[in-house]
Amino acid sequence: ALPIYITGTGGGNTSSGNNYGVLLWNPVTGTGSGAVTITGTGGGGTGSNNYGISVSNAAIVKSASGGLSLSGRAGSGTNSQGIYIGGASTLGGVGQTGAVTLTSDALSLSGTNTLTTTGVVTFQPFTNGSTIGVGSGTGTLSLPASLFSGATRLVTEGASSIVIGSSTAGNVTVGGAVDFSDSTTLLTGGNITLNSGTAVTNSQAGGYMALAATGNFINNAGASAVSTTDAGANDRWIVYSNTPLSNTFGSLNSANNPVWGSTFATLSPSSVAAGNRYVFASSPSVVVSTTSTNKTYGSTLDTYSLVSIGGGAGSSVYTDFTLNDVFSVLPAVTSSGAVNTAVVGNYGVTATGGTVNSGYTVSYNNV
């Protein structure tokens, strides 16, 4: 099927009329496999509505395997919205496998099961740097918990994943109780803040709840702020941020060692090691040190007992790394004393070489 493109710009009606960029009123707009792209800019008048896109009065927008993309910019006039979906209207529906993307700084969805697809659902701001509020969190783009939670949720359970935000979005703030039933990512080029009292849960079996901040992770909600149904055995949470040094963890404990030197852009949630995890863009500077010891004549010296590592950011919310985490091939540990002919005295212990895993920077401090 051929794709469908609809583009419109609202006028400046100053009477009681409307100034929609695009109005779909009780039609069926869709294809079998072609993409549907709708772009609308609201008007600037003082009429009733200045929506960029309005899908109303039981209108349907669908494409079985093609993507649905709605990009709406709110007008400058009275009662402006970028995207409005209401009046028992729907996006997608049973059999919809294509992705659904809604791009707007201000949108309103009402009804039940308003958006249905087994593809990826994306909510992203129209303007780079626009902030996002999820649940009772505040932001320019406001996404209430009713979109994702409860029996009357607007996004029907069964999407392959949900993405809220983008790599160019501003700070994301989450408040209240928000329950996701599909693997979900909160994505921002700034910080992610969980307000006090926030409870983000995800019940997708074998799925993930990812909080992907280019900046900092700020948890003001405590140890139970983010949870999944089986607490990480199969489904799990993943938190991405720049560096642990500027985060507020709020006692949210992964009980696993972090992934270092990676970001959401370079390491997708499905590629992160099993279990709850923190992922940091920064790389720790690991110092491999050797220590001296006494050896009794006739005994065997375990050289690796003389090696220690430091420089990690050990924390109560994740486990610190070990030699086996840092190296895929351990360094060689030797002593300058010959095995059979060394005279009594002190000899240096040296660790060198080894194959360092990605994400770590290693230096040696030998005795």
Side-chain angles (χ1 to χ4, degrees), residues 144-218:
S146 58
L147 285 173
F148 317 103
S149 307
T152 59
R153 53 181 295 173
L154 276 68
V155 179
T156 306
E157 183 178 356
S160 62
S161 67
I162 297 172
V163 178
I164 296 174
S166 69
S167 60
T168 59
N171 295 335
V172 174
T173 303
V174 186
V178 187
D179 177 38
F180 297 95
S181 300
D182 304 297
S183 291
T184 300
T185 299
L186 307 184
L187 178 61
T188 173
N191 303 329
I192 292 178
T193 299
L194 306 183
N195 289 340
S196 177
T198 295
V200 178
T201 59
N202 195 300
S203 58
Q204 174 64 50
Y208 60 81
M209 184 70 226
L211 287 71
T214 302
N216 302 321
F217 171 61
I218 304 168

Side-chain angles (χ1 to χ4, degrees), residues 148-344:
F148 317 103
S149 307
T152 59
R153 53 181 295 173
L154 276 68
V155 179
T156 306
E157 183 178 356
S160 62
S161 67
I162 297 172
V163 178
I164 296 174
S166 69
S167 60
T168 59
N171 295 335
V172 174
T173 303
V174 186
V178 187
D179 177 38
F180 297 95
S181 300
D182 304 297
S183 291
T184 300
T185 299
L186 307 184
L187 178 61
T188 173
N191 303 329
I192 292 178
T193 299
L194 306 183
N195 289 340
S196 177
T198 295
V200 178
T201 59
N202 195 300
S203 58
Q204 174 64 50
Y208 60 81
M209 184 70 226
L211 287 71
T214 302
N216 302 321
F217 171 61
I218 304 168
N219 176 16
N220 297 317
S224 59
V226 184
S227 62
T228 58
T229 300
D230 62 16
N234 293 300
D235 48 80
R236 61 335 189 342
W237 55 258
I238 304 167
V239 174
Y240 297 78
S241 66
N242 182 31
T243 171
L245 301 178
S246 55
N247 286 344
T248 300
F249 292 107
S251 301
L252 181 65
N253 191 356
S254 72
N256 286 301
N257 59 306
V259 178
W260 298 91
S262 295
T263 65
F264 180 80
T266 62
L267 187 70
S268 67
S270 60
S271 298
V272 175
N276 298 327
R277 297 279 174 172
Y278 286 101
V279 180
F280 301 120
S282 60
S283 297
S285 297
V286 181
V287 179
V288 178
S289 301
T290 57
T291 58
S292 60
T293 189
N294 295 321
K295 179 180 182 298
T296 303
Y297 181 78
S299 66
T300 301
L301 185 65
D302 178 6
T303 55
Y304 276 101
S305 67
L306 306 180
V307 178
S308 63
I309 57 175
S315 170
S316 61
V317 297
Y318 54 80
T319 60
D320 210 351
F321 45 71
T322 66
L323 272 173
N324 287 322
D325 295 322
V326 177
F327 294 94
S328 59
V329 177
L330 293 174
V333 183
T334 59
S335 173
S336 57
V339 175
N340 297 321
T341 61
V343 298
V344 175

Side-chain angles (χ1 to χ4, degrees), residues 24 54-59 83-90 108-111 114:
L24 300 178
S54 178
V55 182
S56 306
N57 196 33
I83 298 174
Y84 172 81
I85 313 293
S89 298
T90 59
S108 175
L109 279 69
S110 62
T114 302

